[in-house]
Structures are given as C-alpha cells and as structure tokens.
C-alpha cells in the first residue's frame, strides 16, 4: 500500500506534520489513512464502499495531484 512509500509519507507530513516520537513514517501514514477514512483497519477499504470513496477523494486524488505522478 501507499503508506510504505517515501513520497506518500512526505505528503502525509506536508498535510499533518511529522510523526510523533516513536512512530515510524509508515505507521504515521497508515494512521492518517485510517483517520481520513473513518476506519479502524485499512482492510476495511476492500469492503466498505463509503471508506473506499473517502480514500479516493480525500487521500488518493490529493496525493496524486501533489506528487505529479500522472501529470
């Protein structure tokens, strides 16, 4: 998943700041995704349509725009 990618982790930091002490960058990114989507586990994105929509609109699309991946 995106949370392990350095570019995604930098984007998360640009949105909410650095990870708290003792929290890895990937854990920080994963918590951001869970918080934005209102879920307890990223696995919920596979079967919770509302969470999946939130992920695409509030996380994936803004990240892609910021990163310039497709632009």
């Amino acid at each position: 998943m995106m949370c392990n990618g350095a570019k995604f982790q930098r984007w998360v930091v640009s949105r909410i700041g650095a990870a708290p002490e003792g929290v890895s960058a990937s854990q920080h990114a994963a918590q951001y995704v869970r918080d934005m989507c209102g879920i307890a586990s990223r696995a919920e994105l596979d079967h919770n349509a509302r969470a999946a929509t939130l992920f695409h609109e509030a996380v994936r699309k803004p990240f892609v725009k910021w990163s310039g991946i497709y632009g």
Side-chain angles (χ1 to χ4, degrees), residues 15-50:
R15 305 277 298 209
I16 62 170
E21 188 173 331
V23 176
S24 72
S26 62
Q27 291 170 327
H28 187 53
Q31 187 61 53
Y32 176 76
V33 169
R34 290 189 296 269
D35 291 346
M36 292 300 293
C37 298
I39 55 177
S41 168
R42 289 174 291 162
E44 293 179 52
L45 295 172
D46 293 334
H47 60 276
N48 180 329
R50 183 175 185 278

